[in-house]
Every structure is written in C-alpha cells, then in structure tokens.
C-alpha cells in the first residue's frame, strides 16, 4: 500500500508522507511541549521569552515543514506563506515602537480610584 | 497530459458520470489535468492561510503591546490560567494534527476505511479540545475573570454566588445566573447536537439507510468526545494542587469578607455622629489574628485592605466622635487604589478571550469542514488523483494548530 502512488510511474503528483516520519514529528512535538512546560519553572530571566518563542518556532517549523508538507511543496507556495510573516514582522515592529514612544503620554500608570473608574 | 487522462479514466470506471465528455466527475471542466486542479486549489488555500496569519497577527500585536507596557499584569494574571489544562489541550491538538496528516496520506493511498477513522479521530480531538476549553471558560466566568468593564474578581471571595454577583458587583440577575451556570450554557448546544445525531442514527438504522448510518456512527462518537473533554477538564481542574489551596484560602476569607463588608457599610452609614460601642471593637480583635495571617501573603490584597480598614475603624471606635460633614477615612477609600488591577487585569483577560475565542471559532469552522470531509470520505469521493479537499482542510487544520503552539506558551506559561 505504501508504494502505491508514491511516484511509482512518474505521473502521480501525490506525495504520501511515510508513517514513521509523521510519528517522529508528532513525538518531537510532544517532547518539545514538555520542555516548554518544564522550562517555565526555571528562572531564565530576560531570556525567558526568547526561549519560549524559540521552542514554539521550532515546533511551528516542524508542523509547517512536515505536516503541512511545505518542504516538498512548490517554491511559490513557500514564498507566499513565508511572505506573510514578513508583513507580520513589519506590522508588529512598527506598532510596538509606536506604542512604546507614545503610550506614556496618554496612558496613566495607575488606575483611578474605584469611585470614578468603576460602574 | 495524455498519460494522465488515460490514467484517470481508467480509475473512474465505477463512477456513474452522465455527461458526454471524457473527464472524470471530480475534475472540473476548466482544468486540463488533475494535477493542475490540485495545484490551483493548493495555491488558493495557501493564500487563504496567509490572510489568516495576517488576521491573527493583529491580536498577537495587541498582546505584544500590552505585555510590553505592563509585563507585571501579564505575569500576575497568567497565574489564573491552568497550565495543566493548556498543556493537555496542546497535546490533543498536536495529536489531531497527526491524525489529519495521516488522513491526507490515507486519501492519497486510497485507504478508505482508515481515512474515515482518521478524519473521525481528528474531529473527536477537536471536540475534546472544546470540552476542556469550556471548563476553562466557565471556571473563569464564575470567578469574574472577565474583560475590563465586567471584570469583578475579588481575592477575598473568588467564587461568589449569583446573589453576591448581583448585590456586590451590580450585574443583572440573568447575567449573574449565566456567569455562575455558564458550563451548562456552553454544553447545551453540544448536548442538543448529541441528541440530534443520536436520533439521526436511530432513524437511519430503522429505515435501513446504510450510508446515513455509516455517517451518523462516527459523528455520534465525535459528539460524545466533547463531553469526554468536559470530564477530562473537570478532573484536571479539581486536581490542580496549588490552585485549590488558593481557593480554600479564599473561601476561608469569604465568610470574614462578608462580615467585614457589613461592618464597613454600617460604619459609613453611621459615621455621621456615632461613637462605636465596645461590641464591634471586640469583634475586630477576635478576627484580627486570622486576618493578619491572611494579609501576610502579598497576593491577598483584599485581606490586607480589610485589615487596614479594620484598624482604622478600631481607631475610630476608640471613643472618637466624628461630627457631621467631616470626611473620615474609614480605610475603604484606599482599598481599590491598592488593588489597582481591575482595569489592567481586565485587559489581559480581554486579550485572552479574544485570542483563544477566535481560535476556538476556527476550531468550530474546522469541525464544520471536517464533517463535510467525513461524509465525502464515507462516499469514497477521494482517490490518489483527487485528494485536494482532504489536503486543503488538513492545511487549515495545521494552521489552527500552529497558532495554538504560539498561544499556549504566550498565555499560560508566563511567570
């Protein structure tokens, strides 16, 4: 069954993922999840967010590359997908720098007393 | 192209296709080859996923902004999210991604039975995810961990009754009932669905409709797994050691709090020109030990504030006469200022509900298309030249998983 359709005669465009690869990726993802949860109890200081996002990105790459079949996909599809992250990056960076510069001027650091703020 | 055409017509002999032209039913007129059809669809779904990422990026951006401005609020509020439930949900979604990828493989290799099983397992995982999610949501709604405006969490009384929500927080009675019984409301649509699918199953069996019976059977399992998820969430939620201790503390304080509140009210009403007799002072002394103990924890701002208020009252009660028109500091005015989190914590939960809620809506949409896939898979619609729909839905499903992979550490794992 596994040989079936796997470019046996060159006319088939289907590319079934071998099961061991799928299982391998799944277990890698589970192990990475356990590592993320475990590291939350360690104090890594300011590296914390970088470590968390790094692990999440490795997981995302595994899902996108293998489960979503991206590493065997047409280059154009890869470009389309990855280009979205370029725009997300621009969006987030500009918005963050803007809010960092302007927020203190109109954002009080402390809540008003309950009487005026609530209800 | 010629080879593909001959190939496809040969694999299509069993199909009843009434037209007089020579393409198989699953190949649209405007495509030359199955591969062309597949590639067009795939480009389309990738473009759709691109818009999805841009759509979610708005929420991630809001998250990043508020976390940059108020990191301490995010750290504090993240303690209310149950890491165990989040981790279980991550595992469930990862497993559903595995079964989805496996389903795509089965469609490509024409293993029909396995394809149905894989799609049904993906659906079941989606339902378990929603079941656990509804436990999380209903738990938080009952505690008043809501977006700003409706946020009413009180450290001293984390699980208020409906009556308390009405009296102390100014909600209408129906809203208060909804907040305290939200789990039933969240389960109701799925219970109706379960009953409907069960009726359909029985009806299909009675009328001996084999195809509908084959569709209803896996769907019944899928509906049941929602309640499996609810049960799993309940077990994990009640088993959370640290969490329950905090609750016990809170409940312990609750009785005192109610008592204390009454005291404040009384004091404010009577502050005009009343000497407090010895009775309340005595009461304060007996309670003080417990209050001091509670107030030792930095987290328990409610107890702290109450202790301060009580001390202020004791001072007031020590024979002092307050003439009318004089502003007397009864301690209560400083309480809210010390807590200072109502609005800010509300912002965290606003972002939390927005991100996880939109993600849950995507799960619901995924369930919709997966049911469609399930029925088509039972109908044997797919073959090794026409597996596009399975692949496209798979890509969408993996994207939903991908977003959760980022949401989980960003929301649940902040210290």
């Amino acid at each position: 069954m596994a040989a079936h359709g796997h470019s046996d005669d060159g006319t088939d465009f289907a590319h079934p993922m071998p099961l061991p690869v799928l299982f391998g990726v799944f277990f890698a993802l589970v192990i990475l999840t356990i590592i993320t949860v475990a590291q939350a109890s360690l104090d890594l200081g300011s590296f914390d967010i970088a470590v968390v996002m790094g692990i999440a990105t490795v997981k995302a790459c595994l899902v996108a590359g293998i489960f979503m079949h991206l590493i065997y996909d047409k280059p154009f599809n890869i470009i389309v997908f990855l280009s979205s992250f370029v725009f997300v990056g621009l969006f987030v960076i500009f918005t963050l720098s803007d809010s960092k510069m302007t927020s203190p001027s109109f954002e009080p650091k402390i809540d008003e007393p309950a009487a005026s703020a609530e209800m | 192209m010629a080879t593909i055409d001959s190939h496809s017509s040969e694999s299509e002999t069993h199909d009843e296709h009434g037209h007089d032209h020579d393409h198989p039913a699953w190949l649209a007129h405007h495509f030359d080859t199955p591969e062309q059809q597949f590639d067009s669809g795939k480009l389309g779904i990738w473009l759709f996923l691109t818009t999805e990422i841009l759509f979610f990026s708005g929420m991630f951006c809001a998250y990043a902004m508020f976390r940059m401005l108020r990191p301490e609020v995010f750290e504090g509020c993240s303690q209310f999210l149950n890491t165990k439930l989040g981790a279980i949900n991550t595992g469930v979604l990862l497993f559903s991604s595995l079964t989805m990828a496996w389903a795509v493989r089965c469609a490509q290799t024409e293993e029909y039975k396995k394809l149905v099983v894989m799609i049904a397992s993906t659906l079941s995982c989606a339902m378990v995810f929603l079941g656990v999610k509804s436990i999380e949501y209903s738990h938080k709604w009952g505690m008043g961990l809501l977006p700003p405006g409706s946020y009413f969490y009180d450290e001293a009384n984390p699980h208020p009754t409906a009556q308390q929500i009405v009296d102390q927080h100014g909600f209408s009675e129906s809203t208060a009932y909804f907040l305290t019984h939200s789990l039933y409301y969240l389960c109701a649509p799925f219970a109706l669905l379960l009953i409907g699918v069960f009726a359909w199953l029985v009806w299909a069996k009675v009328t001996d409709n084999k195809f509908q019976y084959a569709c209803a059977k896996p769907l019944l399992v899928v509906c049941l797994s929602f309640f499996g998820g609810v049960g799993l969430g309940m077990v994990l939620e009640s088993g959370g050691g640290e969490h329950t201790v905090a609750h016990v503390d809170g409940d312990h304080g609750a009785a005192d709090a109610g008592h204390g509140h009454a005291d404040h009210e009384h004091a404010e009403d009577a502050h005009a020109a009343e000497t407090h007799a010895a009775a309340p002072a005595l009461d304060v002394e007996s309670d003080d030990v417990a209050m001091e103990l509670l107030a030792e924890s930095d987290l328990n701002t409610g107890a702290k504030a109450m202790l301060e208020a009580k001390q202020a009252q004791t001072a007031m009660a020590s024979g002092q006469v307050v003439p009318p028109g004089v502003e007397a500091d009864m301690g209560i005015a400083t309480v809210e200022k010390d807590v200072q989190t109502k609005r800010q914590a509300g912002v965290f939960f606003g972002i939390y509900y927005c991100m996880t809620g939109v993600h849950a809506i995507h799960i619901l949409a995924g369930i919709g298309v997966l049911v469609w896939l399930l029925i088509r898979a039972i109908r044997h619609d797919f073959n090794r030249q026409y597996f596009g729909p399975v692949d496209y839905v798979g890509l969408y499903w993996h994207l939903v998983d991908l977003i959760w992979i980022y949401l989980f550490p960003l929301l649940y794992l902040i210290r």
Side-chain angles (χ1 to χ4, degrees):
Chain A
M1 214 64 198
H4 188 98
H6 190 81
S7 59
D8 42 2
D9 52 4
T11 58
D12 251 343
F13 54 90
H15 182 276
M17 272 291 178
L19 279 181
V21 174
L22 292 183
F23 284 121
V25 169
F26 173 66
F27 284 117
L29 288 170
V30 171
I31 288 166
L32 283 172
T33 305
I34 293 169
I35 292 174
T36 331
V37 175
Q39 70 80 38
S41 49
L42 303 174
D43 194 1
L44 301 171
S46 54
F47 292 112
D48 197 35
I49 185 77
V51 169
V52 160
M53 291 308 279
I55 295 175
T57 305
V58 171
K59 285 165 77 178
C61 288
L62 279 175
V63 170
I66 309 293
F67 280 174
M68 295 173 95
H69 223 269
L70 209 53
I71 50 173
Y72 300 104
D73 214 332
K74 297 216 156 30
F76 187 64
N77 288 345
I78 300 175
I79 291 169
V80 165
F81 187 58
L82 293 186
S83 70
S84 72
F85 292 99
V86 174
F87 290 102
V88 169
L90 283 175
F91 172 44
V92 171
I93 288 168
F94 278 108
T95 317
L96 280 192
S97 61
D98 179 63
S99 97
K100 195 173 190 117
M101 282 187 275
T102 57
S103 282
S105 58
F106 47 72
E107 187 71 13
K109 196 83 184 169
I110 293 174
D111 271 6
E112 290 92 53
S116 55
E118 243 47 61
M119 277 154 252
Chain B
M1 183 188 143
T3 53
I4 288 167
D5 271 353
S6 63
H7 193 132
S8 47
S9 52
E10 158 230 315
S11 72
E12 210 40 44
T13 40
H14 64 283
D15 206 321
E16 294 300 318
H17 189 47
H19 300 4
D20 50 350
H21 39 255
D22 56 355
H23 66 82
W26 41 263
L27 182 60
H29 292 274
H30 48 282
F31 292 116
D32 285 337
T33 63
E35 183 167 10
Q36 189 195 21
Q37 171 170 282
F38 174 73
D39 285 341
S40 316
K42 194 140 182 175
L43 177 60
I45 200 75
W46 277 116
L47 284 173
F48 170 65
L49 295 189
T50 304
T51 65
E52 286 283 278
I53 286 176
L54 294 174
F55 167 57
F56 269 98
S57 76
M59 279 171 283
F60 278 101
C61 192
Y63 172 92
M65 235 170 84
F66 283 105
R67 185 155 179 196
M68 181 187 74
L69 295 173
R70 301 277 187 281
E72 71 284 353
V73 172
F74 276 70
E75 255 174 58
C77 292
S78 174
Q79 309 304 320
F80 288 114
L81 305 189
N82 191 330
T83 311
K84 236 187 252 170
L85 290 181
I88 284 291
N89 258 354
T90 310
V92 167
L93 264 200
L94 289 177
F95 184 72
S96 79
S97 256
L98 170 71
T99 55
M100 192 67 232
W102 198 343
V104 173
R105 187 198 142 83
C106 291
Q108 289 168 336
T109 56
E110 299 177 354
E111 297 163 270
Y112 296 114
K113 273 226 175 85
K114 247 194 208 168
L115 173 62
V116 173
V117 170
M118 285 306 147
I119 293 175
S121 343
T122 311
L123 271 167
S124 304
C125 285
M127 283 294 194
V128 170
F129 181 90
L130 288 180
V132 174
K133 197 96 233 151
S134 55
I135 288 285
E136 287 192 76
Y137 274 8
S138 58
H139 188 72
K140 285 183 189 63
W141 292 349
M143 289 168 79
L145 299 165
L146 293 165
S150 40
Y151 184 92
F152 63 84
Y153 177 72
D154 183 6
E155 191 99 36
N157 182 17
H159 295 286
T161 62
Q163 195 53 45
Q164 281 172 325
I165 293 176
V166 173
D167 294 343
Q168 295 169 16
H169 308 294
F171 284 86
S172 73
E173 273 187 25
S174 50
T175 316
Y177 185 81
F178 172 76
L179 288 174
T180 44
H181 296 80
S182 48
L183 185 58
Y184 301 116
Y185 286 91
L186 287 172
C187 286
F190 294 94
L192 286 178
L193 205 66
L194 178 67
I195 294 167
V197 170
F198 184 70
W200 182 27
L201 184 81
V202 171
W203 182 77
K205 185 81 187 165
V206 168
T207 56
D208 203 27
N209 190 332
K210 288 229 168 59
F211 175 71
Q212 296 204 358
Y213 185 68
C215 292
K217 226 173 16 179
L219 285 178
L220 186 73
V221 177
V222 167
C223 291
L224 279 172
S225 41
F226 174 82
F227 295 96
V230 170
L232 182 69
M234 273 180 178
V235 169
L236 289 176
E237 182 74 62
S238 59
E242 204 180 322
H243 227 65
T244 35
V245 172
H247 290 174
V248 169
D249 253 7
D251 284 339
H252 186 75
D256 289 342
H259 184 74
H261 263 284
D263 265 2
H264 297 326
E265 304 282 314
H266 178 66
E268 294 229 273
D269 283 346
H271 91 226
E274 270 247 289
T275 19
H276 281 259
L282 215 115
D283 192 17
V284 166
E285 253 162 44
S286 64
D287 272 5
D288 263 3
V289 189
M291 277 323 292
E292 264 162 18
L293 257 172
L294 280 172
E296 264 170 28
S297 146
D298 273 342
L299 284 171
N300 208 340
T301 45
K304 235 181 208 165
M306 251 180 62
L307 193 66
E308 273 172 35
K310 283 199 165 179
Q311 278 161 358
Q313 279 175 20
T314 331
M316 294 285 298
S318 59
Q320 215 178 338
V321 177
V322 184
V326 167
E327 284 291 329
D329 181 14
M330 308 301 288
I332 194 77
T334 57
V335 170
E336 288 291 339
K337 269 189 208 157
D338 280 346
V339 176
Q340 272 176 12
T341 55
K342 266 200 173 175
R343 198 183 55 167
Q344 296 182 350
V347 168
F348 173 83
F349 283 100
I351 289 174
Y352 165 78
Y353 286 119
C354 199
M355 294 182 98
T356 57
V358 170
H359 181 263
I361 289 172
H362 276 76
I363 298 261
L364 283 173
I367 287 174
V369 280
L370 277 166
V371 167
W372 169 71
L373 267 194
L374 182 77
I375 291 167
R376 289 196 69 180
I378 292 168
R379 217 165 61 186
H380 289 206
D381 268 7
F382 306 114
N383 57 57
R384 62 178 160 139
Q385 298 218 317
Y386 179 65
F387 53 86
V390 188
D391 205 1
Y392 309 151
V393 171
L395 288 178
Y396 170 79
W397 193 253
H398 295 314
L399 187 90
V400 173
D401 184 29
L402 212 80
I403 287 162
W404 183 259
I405 284 176
Y406 280 100
L407 279 185
F408 170 58
L410 285 180
L411 290 172
Y412 290 76
L413 297 179
I414 318 168
R415 269 171 306 107

